[in-house]
């Protein structure tokens, strides 16, 4: 029951937003403006507020970080291989597919759930992971995608 109490408000807000987007109350320009506000103002403010309340440990538990990133790398590799072998994608599109497969929703979903469940003490591990996650994912994907500049076979039109 506690899990439901913690998780329900997050999904209720997402569901409400979905339903409101179907009504004439919000048109495309409103949704675009709201999305830009959330991604450029609200999320950075949430991260800043979360980071400002956390006392980072003297030493990082590398076993914890390693266990998380082993899974992230495995999912990235699986996504890369599915796109490369099953969909016959290029190295560039496979890198993007791998990132899309393994990129977590830790900021929008994870931080509120962890904070509601464990309080400020629970934010320490998630902040450590968030601080490394994007840098690792984007740089890896960029390196793989850019290393394939000569590989022009079967590029998807959106890439």
């Amino acid at each position: 029951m506690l899990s439901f109490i913690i998780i329900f408000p997050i999904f209720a807000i997402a569901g409400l937003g979905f339903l409101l987007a179907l009504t004439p109350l919000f048109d495309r320009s409103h949704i675009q403006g709201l999305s830009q506000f959330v991604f450029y103002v609200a999320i950075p403010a949430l991260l800043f507020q979360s980071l400002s309340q956390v006392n980072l440990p003297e030493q990082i538990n590398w076993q914890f970080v390693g266990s998380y990133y082993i899974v992230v790398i495995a999912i990235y590799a699986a996504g890369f291989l599915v796109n490369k072998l099953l969909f016959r994608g290029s190295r560039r599109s496979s890198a993007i597919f791998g990132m899309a497969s393994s990129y977590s929703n830790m900021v929008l979903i994870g931080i509120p759930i962890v904070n509601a469940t464990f309080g400020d003490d629970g934010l320490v591990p998630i902040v450590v992971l968030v601080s490394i996650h994007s840098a690792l994912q984007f740089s890896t994907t960029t390196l793989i995608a850019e290393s394939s500049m000569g590989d022009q076979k079967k590029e998807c039109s959106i890439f």
Side-chain angles (χ1 to χ4, degrees), residues 29-102:
S29 65
H30 294 125
I31 294 169
Q32 184 178 3
L34 189 57
S35 293
Q36 287 178 332
F37 170 77
V38 167
F39 284 102
Y40 295 122
V41 177
I43 291 175
L46 171 68
L47 285 173
F48 181 79
Q49 189 262 342
S50 297
L51 285 169
S52 70
Q53 294 179 356
V54 169
N55 292 322
L56 292 176
E58 292 289 324
Q59 290 191 333
I60 294 174
N61 182 348
W62 290 109
Q63 207 171 13
F64 168 76
V65 173
S67 64
Y68 174 80
Y69 284 107
I70 286 170
V71 173
V72 168
I73 292 166
I75 294 170
Y76 187 103
F80 182 94
L81 291 173
V82 163
N83 190 62
K84 188 81 170 156
L85 302 174
L86 187 63
F87 300 128
R88 306 276 188 240
S90 67
R91 195 173 354 159
R92 173 180 269 177
S93 66
S94 296
I96 294 168
F97 198 93
M99 185 171 113
S101 300
S102 63

Side-chain angles (χ1 to χ4, degrees), residues 6 8 27-29 34 73 82-83 101 103 107 137 145-146 150:
I6 292 169
F8 176 76
D27 65 18
R28 250 186 163 14
S29 65
L34 189 57
I73 292 166
V82 163
N83 190 62
S101 300
Y103 203 83
V107 173
Q137 291 267 261
E146 292 300 318

